[in-house]
Amino acid sequence: GDSTWLEEQFDLAAGQRVGVGFITWSLRKSPSLLTDVLKRKPVAVMLSFGDPRPFVAAIRNAGALVMCQCQNIDHVWDAIDVGADIVVAQGAEAGGHGALRGALSFVPEAADLLAAHSPGAVLVAAGGIADGRGLAAALMLGAEGALIGTRLWAAAEALVHRRHHEAIVDATGDDTVRTTVVDIARQIPWPRGFTARVRRNAFTQRWHGHEALLEQSVAVEGPRYRQAFAEGDPDNTGVWFGEAAGLIGAIEPAFDVVEKI
């Protein structure tokens, strides 16, 4: 959480209907971030990767929708317990952080659970959805929509370095890996059970499977990682996309991406 960045983004989006998302375990360390954001009247707040309970009352009191992104059935139960308006069932195909469940079985299992215990909640599928086929499949599995990350990460408007965009156009779905090395290099203490899906490259080849050695070398390797990211180096830093990479052949405007889907 970065208060300055959040303020800048809300200023840029002034007058628009926008939401905001938080990594929940991190937000617990800086709850004032949520207090400040709610003053900007977001339409929705998404909570992911931790217990949503400490934050739901404040979100509701601000008039925003509560979105809970879930990676397993225990997380879905948490969303039911807090009465989440929108539940995101995120499969492991997704880029960035997630867990182990595949969307094909996780989405309908979540759909059945919500139908029985929270029928008013909207279920959204995530992970590997990049075109109309993926959206249609999500609807058939019992979701009412899709949360799409990688395909819009590869949109022209996304704040992604040109060389990282070039890397996804050339990639297939096989060219990613779930790993912890990107978090070790950044010295971000993600809870056990969550890994990050990123592009396979020289960095992951060097360190995936050698996590203890990376931890010992982080004083040197951490700055190298951050410098490579700042420079847009696609080989020596984390390039954050998911298995949907194999369905993406061009960087296009977001409007065109959504229209085609």
Side-chain angles (χ1 to χ4, degrees):
D2 181 326
S3 58
T4 301
W5 184 87
L6 286 165
E7 288 294 322
E8 289 173 350
Q9 300 310 304
F10 274 101
D11 287 344
L12 288 168
Q16 303 297 315
R17 285 173 51 81
V18 297
V20 63
F22 286 103
I23 295 168
T24 316
W25 63 263
S26 180
L27 183 60
R28 293 191 70 165
K29 299 178 181 180
S30 304
S32 63
L33 292 172
L34 178 63
T35 303
D36 293 341
V37 157
L38 292 177
K39 295 175 183 177
R40 307 298 292 261
K41 298 297 181 183
V43 175
V45 178
M46 185 165 78
L47 304 171
S48 189
F49 311 115
D51 186 358
R53 291 174 181 82
F55 311 109
V56 169
I59 295 169
R60 290 203 187 286
N61 289 339
L65 295 171
V66 175
M67 299 177 65
C68 289
Q69 182 168 247
C70 304
Q71 290 79 32
N72 60 39
I73 291 300
D74 284 344
H75 298 162
V76 178
W77 276 116
D78 288 341
I80 291 170
D81 287 345
V82 301
D85 301 292
I86 302 169
V87 178
V88 182
Q90 182 197 39
E93 302 91 334
H97 286 91
L100 296 176
R101 290 297 304 270
L104 189 64
S105 64
F106 183 39
V107 173
E109 188 175 356
D112 291 347
L113 201 60
L114 291 175
H117 299 281
S118 187
V122 172
L123 177 63
V124 176
I129 302 169
D131 58 20
R133 295 172 296 180
L135 175 59
L139 299 177
M140 290 300 297
L141 292 173
E144 295 171 80
L147 187 152
I148 295 174
T150 293
R151 174 63 273 205
L152 290 170
W153 180 96
E157 296 89 343
L159 302 182
V160 175
H161 196 282
R162 172 185 55 79
R163 294 171 68 192
H164 288 200
H165 269 168
E166 291 171 354
I168 197 172
V169 171
D170 293 335
T172 74
D174 294 342
D175 293 328
T176 67
V177 61
R178 297 212 70 91
T179 186
T180 61
V181 296
V182 287
D183 295 323
I184 295 171
R186 298 182 304 160
Q187 295 180 277
I188 298 178
W190 270 81
R192 184 172 298 178
F194 296 116
T195 57
R197 185 177 293 283
V198 294
R199 176 180 182 248
R200 293 182 186 272
N201 61 11
F203 175 79
T204 63
Q205 185 173 351
R206 186 181 310 122
W207 295 113
H208 185 63
H210 303 282
E211 289 79 5
L213 182 59
L214 177 58
E215 289 176 349
Q216 295 169 14
S217 310
V218 75
V220 173
E221 296 300 331
R224 286 178 179 171
Y225 175 99
R226 288 188 288 274
Q227 181 177 352
F229 189 86
E231 294 173 352
D233 181 345
D235 296 316
N236 294 293
T237 191
V239 183
W240 296 74
F241 57 73
E243 289 184 354
L247 303 173
I248 297 168
I251 306 301
E252 302 173 291
F255 178 91
D256 293 344
V257 171
V258 175
E259 188 175 53
K260 287 180 180 179
I261 291 171

